[in-house]
Amino acid sequence: MVTAKSDTTPYWSTSTTFPQFAKLADNAETDVVVVGSGITGLTVAYLLAKAGKRVTVLERGRCAATDTGHTSAHLTMVTDTRLSDLVKGFGRTHAQAAWDAGLAAIAKIDDIVREHDIDAGFAWVDGYFHAPLDDDASDASEDLKADATLAGELGFDAEYLESVPLVSRPGVRFADQARLHPRRYLAGVAKAFVALGGRIHEHSEADEFCGDPRGVKANGYTVTCEDVVIATHNPLVGLGGMAGATLFQTKLALYTSYVIAGRVTRGVVPDALWWDTADPYQFVRVEPHRDYDVVIFGGEDHKTGQAEDTQACYRHLEEQLRTIVPNVELTHRWSGQVIETPDGLPYIGQSADHQYSATGYAGNGLTFGTVAGLIISDAILARSNPWAELFEPGRKALTRGLWDYVKENVDYPYYLIRDRFAGAEAKSLRAVRRGQGKVIERNGVKVAAYRDTAGIVTLRSAICTHMGCTVSWNVAERTWDCPCHGSRFKPTGDVISGPAEAPLPEAD
């Protein structure tokens, strides 16, 4: 047995470098000041700069080194609060909205990675929600079946499994989850932001906020601005009043969560995400390398400051991980902090005049941090956003019954691509995995459905244009082949070889 090192430096910090940025050393004028440079701060800064805003980021330490730097990088749309509980608390369409926001966040990360060719190890993977290792699984099966059914009804790619890979427990497979190296990703985002004219100042703690003129002071200098974004995990008061900020803090519950990591033989642990139904839950993911994999395992959450023997938390994780992967060579251990809200959803929105903040991400920090970037940048740019009312700290539109999620947001860009994640109107598309094709029945017609590696679906008639036979998917060649007379077609339906001369027509 090899026990993880006694220090608590996260794996993410030892496995990459991050560009360094100078302290704030002069007065400046900008459109937006972003305080904090984790996933929320750098995402909103990048999106605003891309839209033409002048943005300055102030960071008291190093970029992506504190809360985001201590993440487990579990990138999923599946919220800590169970979907059935979200439905009870918010209704079906609003529960769907919360998961839609998560999927949109993962898709946005994918877009940014592709646009800027960021080497962050991003990949779409399956996620498995399963019964705990040491509990009687019989009691969990029916609830997990209900979870899969409900998720499917709301348009998500979910499938109940009697035995989940790796853990051999009943569970639900959720497609279209993801993993990435968070600091490599944010290093790429920071580089893209600076290339757009953005400014980042490290070792520049925001120690005073001014209202007239509006600005933020750090290192004795002032950056004046139109808007302020507080992206500090546990929000600063900033331009808001102390009384309101104190009341807001009473809504938040802070928990410490523990993570260990270690090397395993490549391929021993499949490239996927796992988390169980326990409370607190445990979770597993993989960070692939050329000659080995790093398995990341976490859990043991407790309210911050309320555990006497925190070393025991690490020991218990080690014992649990070795039951799953006996030969793991432990190399790292660290802890992070998660913040929960009473209703299970984060608070994202305006916290004072011309000031925005975000907090309460629970175990979905990377996902909701990206959602916050989308919502806050849209707010500053005076654009509508489908999730603003849902995550608004007061939830005013929900409590007054003023928000129709589906009706009011059909024109948001996310909904132009939602079919890449299957959807309630095309449930049979869930059978089509990324990079694969399958003949499905859609509206009573056989359709050749292909989903590319980006998740975009191409639908063509499955009827060969030569003599009317049904084509089948050639897994090795990634083509549609006719078993009757040998015609072959590209995934897009174009002819590769005859006797067919016409492409497979588009399907309705």
Side-chain angles (χ1 to χ4, degrees):
M1 287 191 180
V2 179
T3 299
K5 297 176 182 178
S6 59
D7 69 73
T8 55
T9 302
Y11 164 77
W12 316 118
S13 296
T14 62
S15 57
T16 192
T17 59
F18 205 101
Q20 296 188 33
F21 301 95
K23 295 180 179 181
L24 180 67
D26 55 9
N27 295 320
E29 181 181 344
T30 190
D31 295 326
V32 182
V33 170
V34 177
V35 180
S37 64
I39 184 71
T40 302
L42 289 178
T43 300
V44 71
Y46 164 79
L47 294 174
L48 288 171
K50 190 174 182 182
K53 289 286 187 179
R54 299 174 301 160
V55 184
T56 297
V57 175
L58 299 178
E59 167 57 49
R60 69 179 178 182
R62 292 295 315 282
C63 290
T66 308
D67 295 296
T68 300
H70 287 71
T71 181
S72 63
H74 212 74
L75 188 52
T76 175
M77 71 186 181
V78 181
T79 51
D80 280 8
T81 300
R82 213 155 177 166
L83 185 59
S84 56
D85 291 330
L86 287 179
V87 169
K88 291 176 184 176
F90 296 96
R92 289 173 67 89
T93 57
H94 298 162
Q96 175 197 321
W99 280 30
D100 269 351
L103 266 181
I106 301 173
K108 174 56 68 175
I109 291 173
D110 188 12
D111 290 343
I112 293 172
V113 165
R114 290 171 183 270
E115 180 176 354
H116 299 288
D117 194 24
I118 300 174
D119 181 15
F122 176 88
W124 293 89
V125 298
D126 288 334
Y128 296 101
F129 180 49
H130 61 86
L133 295 176
D134 52 1
D135 284 1
D136 181 5
S138 60
D139 295 336
S141 296
E142 292 305 315
D143 286 342
L144 288 163
K145 289 177 183 177
D147 288 330
T149 299
L150 178 58
E153 290 172 353
L154 296 183
F156 300 101
D157 193 336
E159 175 188 12
Y160 173 77
L161 301 176
E162 287 290 348
S163 181
V164 164
L166 184 67
V167 296
S168 301
R169 309 292 283 171
V172 182
R173 179 192 68 83
F174 293 104
D176 296 316
Q177 312 312 296
R179 51 103 170 137
L180 87 165
H181 191 299
R183 294 198 79 226
R184 285 180 184 160
Y185 169 67
L186 289 178
V189 173
K191 181 179 178 181
F193 168 65
V194 171
L196 291 166
R199 295 178 62 183
I200 299 175
H201 295 289
E202 295 181 317
H203 305 293
S204 301
E205 182 174 3
D207 50 27
E208 186 176 347
F209 293 80
C210 312
D212 187 19
R214 192 172 299 110
V216 181
K217 290 186 177 182
N219 300 339
Y221 300 97
T222 301
V223 184
T224 57
C225 58
E226 291 295 321
D227 295 285
V228 174
V229 178
I230 305 293
T232 55
H233 188 59
N234 198 336
L236 302 175
V237 174
L239 299 169
M242 183 59 71
T246 301
L247 179 63
F248 182 74
Q249 286 292 335
T250 64
K251 299 180 180 181
L252 306 178
L254 280 63
Y255 289 80
T256 298
S257 185
Y258 297 83
V259 188
I260 60 175
R263 294 186 179 189
V264 296
T265 302
R266 186 164 173 77
V268 167
V269 180
D271 191 4
L273 311 178
W274 290 262
W275 64 103
D276 64 28
T277 59
D279 184 17
Y281 63 89
Q282 294 180 334
F283 50 88
V284 184
R285 58 150 294 190
V286 172
E287 184 73 9
H289 288 252
R290 179 180 300 175
D291 301 320
Y292 60 89
D293 291 335
V294 172
V295 61
I296 297 165
F297 183 65
E300 295 296 302
D301 300 16
H302 62 78
K303 278 198 170 184
T304 298
Q306 295 188 14
E308 293 184 5
D309 185 2
T310 55
Q311 295 284 9
C313 298
Y314 288 117
R315 289 195 299 271
H316 190 235
L317 285 179
E318 290 187 22
E319 293 167 1
Q320 289 289 301
L321 179 56
R322 291 188 194 284
T323 66
I324 305 171
V325 191
N327 296 321
V328 62
E329 178 189 345
L330 292 169
T331 57
H332 294 78
R333 64 177 187 170
W334 69 94
S335 66
Q337 193 176 62
V338 297
I339 300 179
E340 297 185 359
T341 65
D343 61 15
L345 294 183
Y347 297 135
I348 304 169
Q350 195 166 21
S351 53
D353 189 30
H354 288 276
Q355 177 176 287
Y356 303 84
S357 61
T359 191
Y361 300 160
N364 296 84
L366 294 184
T367 309
F368 281 135
T370 304
V371 170
L374 293 167
I375 291 174
I376 294 172
S377 61
D378 281 345
I380 291 173
L381 296 168
R383 298 190 303 213
S384 64
N385 182 282
W387 307 292
E389 286 87 353
L390 178 63
F391 298 126
E392 189 270 328
R395 318 270 199 251
K396 298 183 182 70
L398 272 67
T399 56
R400 297 173 184 170
L402 301 177
W403 184 51
D404 186 330
Y405 168 64
V406 175
K407 180 179 178 181
E408 295 179 9
N409 297 292
V410 292
D411 57 346
Y412 193 78
Y414 167 72
Y415 293 96
L416 304 180
I417 62 168
R418 194 177 191 269
D419 268 357
R420 75 165 62 175
F421 308 114
E425 295 180 354
K427 293 179 182 179
S428 56
L429 286 177
R430 295 192 186 91
V432 186
R433 308 290 294 279
R434 290 173 184 267
Q436 294 182 358
K438 186 180 285 289
V439 175
I440 63 175
E441 190 162 311
R442 184 177 168 91
N443 300 324
V445 176
K446 289 185 176 179
V447 174
Y450 170 73
R451 191 186 299 272
D452 69 15
T453 55
I456 298 172
V457 175
T458 299
L459 301 178
R460 295 291 182 267
S461 169
I463 306 305
C464 178
T465 54
H466 176 232
M467 294 290 289
C469 294
T470 301
V471 298
S472 61
W473 178 250
N474 183 326
V475 175
E477 301 295 332
R478 299 164 69 88
T479 58
W480 296 110
D481 295 354
C482 178
C484 296
H485 304 100
S487 297
R488 301 182 66 212
F489 304 85
K490 294 180 181 180
T492 56
D494 296 331
V495 175
I496 297 174
S497 60
E501 297 182 4
L504 299 175
E506 292 188 9
D508 295 331

